[in-house]
Amino acid sequence: MASSGDEGRVVRDLRSAAESAGGDEALHEIESLCMRCGENVSTRLLLTTIPNFREVSFCALCAHCESGNNEVQFAGQLQPKGCCYRLEVPQGQNEVLNRQVVKSDSATIKIPELDFEIPPEAQRGTLSTVEGIIMRAVEELQALQDERKKADPQKAEAIDQFLIKLRSLGSGEAAFTFVLDDPAGNSFIENPHAPSSDALLSVSFYERTSEQQAALGFLVDPPTGESGGPLQNASTVEANSGGLPKVPHGSVGAVAGRRAIAQGNPDEIAAALCRYTAPEEVDTLPSTCGACGAACVTRFFATKIPYFREVIVMAASCDLCGYCNSELKPGGEIPAKGKKITLHVQNVKDLSRDVIKSDSAAVKVPELELELSMGTLGGIVTTVEGLIVKICEALERVHGFQLGDSTNEWKKKKWDDFQQRLSKLLSLQEPWTLIIDDALAASFVAPATDLIEDDSQLLIEDYERSWEQNEELGLNDMDTSSADIAYNMTST
């Protein structure tokens, strides 16, 4: 899917980028030193845009020792969230070991079966395969074995035994799990079945912590107290407390707050918590930009959507880098059941139906064999047509780099067929089905009639969540004992 003059395509490969820039403007050569043989060589540097990465790609080849370098460094902004890829590698399936892996400078690789971890500083950003990353780790561990045998023979023997296990994973002799965790969100593991889902590969997105923001090189404000000054060290507070009993941080305020809610008038409390009913009544809270890490302001208000529930609309914009983000979060209590929404799209009016997709919803289009897991795209407010377009843009952005000039023709043909089928759906050449499965029942599709029951094309089903769904949402470990005690105190 390399774009040669087609402005509608998002994906662009390295060769077409260099040719369209006139060659000399995109490809630069600088004199450098080969670290393997010590001779002066020319390093070729190509600055180009690759979907989802926006990276600087360095390519060097020493004419004396033919040493190559495929290091990848990212010059673009951070992704809004970090990503964690988890690949199950079965025993004897070498095609899984040959999957392409893009590892950024900030990514950590883990193999839980061996309790093995490759920190970000051990292997810099690279474009390789699962097997290539494992064998590179073997080479780096093997490099200093002669010195270890002289200094600490026992440790060297233990490493030799570990290398045997690691080589067996690289050759496919044993099954294992390959985890790629990148707080910057710029790493990737190939899905050969894209845009369909892959049973062996799962991906999740998460919010970065302050420590991860600081590790990525962004300024993080230290935590401050109510007076605006920095918080004191715990040992200093304890020394100045005069021997007062220690309690967990925040527990005093939490207990007092629960007691006040339990003893108060529920109608008054509900009115106070849900007083925002119009966009004019907007509140703000301090936040951090998801792109550059600078301090910014998030504006939010709560409102009630007919036929649905109370929701919280949040929007943030950064004055420093211009990054904008909008989200919609469910309000109120967690429903006892999940919700599955099925819409049969048959006419143009169906494409313009309003859609609220929460970050806990999975999306399926059976006619396209398309399935998005929970958390993909986050929470958005759009239409049926807009949702499908956003999904396809995200797929091209994530999988687009593997559609360059070196990609197999069958992969390119698969994506071309997918786009043709997609255009048929959006042009309504044939009816299709949109399924939104939300374990928290926080998604919504607008009905075409005044009563949802009268809309024959819209089917809404409630279902009991499985233990696995509750575990993923953190509901199995939710402790409400303190609130129960507070409510029992009011009844006695």
Side-chain angles (χ1 to χ4, degrees):
M1 250 170 64
S3 65
S4 56
D6 188 356
E7 298 179 355
R9 296 286 182 87
V10 177
V11 180
R12 197 176 189 186
D13 59 84
L14 293 177
R15 177 180 296 176
S16 61
E19 292 176 351
S20 62
D24 293 337
E25 297 179 8
L27 188 62
H28 305 274
E29 291 191 9
I30 58 175
E31 186 177 357
S32 60
L33 177 68
C34 177
M35 303 307 296
R36 176 165 295 184
C37 67
E39 298 289 341
N40 285 337
V41 296
S42 294
T43 298
R44 291 174 294 171
L45 184 150
L46 180 63
L47 177 61
T48 186
T49 299
I50 296 181
N52 192 43
F53 302 119
R54 295 175 294 280
E55 65 197 15
V56 177
S57 177
F58 294 91
C59 178
L61 179 62
C62 179
H64 302 278
C65 65
E66 296 185 354
S67 171
N69 177 20
N70 62 342
E71 181 179 330
V72 176
Q73 294 184 354
F74 298 93
Q77 66 180 10
L78 295 180
Q79 301 303 312
K81 294 184 179 181
C83 64
C84 182
Y85 288 84
R86 189 178 185 91
L87 177 64
E88 302 292 339
V89 183
Q91 180 180 0
Q93 294 191 13
N94 293 331
E95 62 274 8
V96 181
L97 293 172
N98 290 331
R99 292 197 183 189
Q100 286 186 329
V101 176
V102 175
K103 177 191 176 299
S104 74
D105 293 337
S106 59
T108 300
I109 295 175
K110 300 177 182 179
I111 300 179
E113 288 79 2
L114 295 182
D115 196 17
F116 180 58
E117 178 176 322
I118 303 177
E121 61 272 10
Q123 290 189 14
R124 301 191 63 182
T126 184
L127 172 61
S128 184
T129 62
V130 176
E131 179 185 5
I133 289 179
I134 293 177
M135 299 313 295
R136 180 178 175 181
V138 170
E139 294 175 359
E140 293 178 351
L141 288 174
Q142 185 69 40
L144 300 177
Q145 274 298 84
D146 294 337
E147 288 77 3
R148 293 193 189 99
K149 291 179 180 179
K150 297 177 182 178
D152 192 344
Q154 186 175 359
K155 180 184 290 187
E157 178 63 24
I159 292 179
D160 284 336
Q161 296 299 323
F162 178 80
L163 289 176
I164 294 176
K165 298 179 181 179
L166 197 57
R167 288 192 183 96
S168 66
L169 299 186
S171 59
E173 298 176 6
F176 66 96
T177 305
F178 187 86
V179 181
L180 178 63
D181 190 350
D182 185 7
N186 283 327
S187 295
F188 179 77
I189 297 180
E190 177 189 7
N191 175 12
H193 308 291
S196 303
S197 60
D198 186 357
L200 301 178
L201 180 64
S202 62
V203 57
S204 59
F205 303 92
Y206 59 88
E207 297 288 344
R208 286 184 287 269
T209 63
S210 299
E211 292 77 9
Q212 290 174 330
Q213 289 276 27
L216 293 173
F218 290 96
L219 180 63
V220 179
D221 295 332
T224 57
E226 294 182 358
S227 60
L231 294 177
Q232 293 180 327
N233 185 274
S235 60
T236 305
V237 175
E238 181 181 357
N240 298 333
S241 61
L244 294 177
K246 295 188 299 182
V247 294
H249 175 68
S251 61
V252 176
V255 172
R258 288 192 293 265
R259 186 180 296 111
I261 293 176
Q263 296 176 352
N265 187 332
D267 295 333
E268 294 178 357
I269 294 175
L273 294 178
C274 307
R275 65 183 183 274
Y276 303 105
T277 57
E280 291 78 12
E281 302 177 7
V282 178
D283 204 351
T284 61
L285 54 87
S287 182
T288 302
C289 177
C292 68
C296 62
V297 175
T298 296
R299 297 170 178 83
F300 68 95
F301 71 93
T303 185
K304 177 72 175 179
I305 298 180
Y307 305 108
F308 187 39
R309 58 185 295 181
E310 181 186 344
V311 296
I312 301 174
V313 181
M314 307 177 67
S317 60
C318 180
D319 296 334
L320 186 62
C321 68
Y323 174 77
C324 298
N325 180 39
S326 61
E327 291 184 88
L328 187 137
K329 301 290 186 182
E333 64 181 6
I334 297 177
K337 296 182 178 181
K339 181 181 294 184
K340 181 179 180 181
I341 303 174
T342 303
L343 174 65
H344 299 282
V345 182
Q346 299 177 356
N347 51 58
V348 178
K349 292 184 178 180
D350 293 331
L351 293 177
S352 60
R353 293 194 190 212
D354 292 330
V355 174
I356 298 176
K357 178 203 167 298
S358 73
D359 49 10
S360 60
V363 180
K364 300 179 182 178
V365 181
E367 289 78 3
L368 281 179
E369 299 180 0
L370 176 65
E371 180 176 352
L372 268 71
S373 60
M374 181 179 69
T376 308
L377 295 180
I380 57 175
V381 181
T382 181
T383 61
V384 173
E385 181 180 9
L387 177 62
I388 299 301
V389 172
K390 286 181 179 292
I391 290 174
C392 296
E393 289 176 352
L395 289 173
E396 284 192 344
R397 187 171 64 250
V398 172
H399 301 283
F401 84 98
Q402 51 180 315
L403 302 178
D405 51 358
S406 62
T407 307
N408 295 330
E409 289 297 328
W410 67 270
K411 287 187 178 181
K412 296 181 181 180
K413 186 177 184 300
K414 183 177 181 180
W415 277 92
D416 290 337
D417 293 342
F418 173 77
Q419 286 194 336
Q420 291 178 4
R421 293 161 58 193
L422 175 64
S423 62
K424 289 182 180 180
L425 295 189
L426 294 181
S427 60
L428 293 177
Q429 296 184 18
E430 55 186 25
W432 53 282
T433 307
L434 174 66
I435 301 175
I436 301 179
D437 191 342
D438 194 340
L440 291 181
S443 297
F444 172 76
V445 175
T449 57
D450 293 336
L451 296 177
I452 297 182
E453 294 79 6
D454 297 337
D455 192 342
S456 59
Q457 297 175 224
L458 184 63
L459 175 63
I460 301 178
E461 304 172 89
D462 295 331
Y463 63 89
E464 296 287 343
R465 285 188 294 265
S466 64
W467 186 91
E468 290 77 11
Q469 288 176 316
N470 287 331
E471 180 69 16
E472 187 172 4
L473 296 170
L475 300 180
N476 291 333
D477 299 327
M478 185 175 293
D479 185 10
T480 60
S481 57
S482 299
D484 295 337
I485 294 174
Y487 279 105
N488 293 333
M489 290 174 59
T490 60
S491 61
T492 58

